[in-house]
Amino acid sequence: MSPVLPRSRGSQIYLCLLVGVGVGLALVGVGHWRAGLLVVGVTFGLGGLARAVVPQDHVGMLRVRGRTFDIVWLTLLGVSLAVLALVVPPGPPA
């Protein structure tokens, strides 16, 4: 018996994005906050890119609001988290 995957391309991408955010949050949870934020940021950035290139009739669950809003918001959030993860200086050694 094969696993049941979502039918639309957008829903499959959405599932991949959920996995990416889950991995990032797991990294944050085990203490690797910088790597976790970078993974979440890259995941959101890829989500914005995916929203831009997936045809409208295949968007599925990837559509949150309008296309422009989704692209701008996901990209802005992704870049912001990635930049935050890269520019915050390391703290003193524990």
Side-chain angles (χ1 to χ4, degrees):
M1 185 173 184
S2 64
V4 178
L5 292 175
R7 292 184 185 190
S8 73
R9 180 66 60 201
S11 296
Q12 293 168 356
I13 294 169
Y14 183 77
L15 183 62
C16 291
L17 295 176
L18 283 177
V19 169
V21 170
V23 167
L25 291 177
L27 285 170
V28 170
V30 297
H32 302 289
W33 68 268
R34 188 178 306 269
L37 276 184
L38 193 57
V39 168
V40 172
V42 168
T43 300
F44 281 142
L46 291 174
L49 177 66
R51 181 68 170 107
V53 299
V54 173
Q56 190 64 26
D57 56 337
H58 293 284
V59 173
M61 292 186 303
L62 190 59
R63 185 174 84 198
V64 178
R65 302 261 188 240
R67 182 182 188 111
T68 304
F69 178 83
D70 285 348
I71 293 168
V72 170
W73 181 244
L74 285 169
T75 304
L76 180 68
L77 187 60
V79 168
S80 298
L81 287 173
V83 167
L84 178 67
L86 294 173
V87 301
V88 172

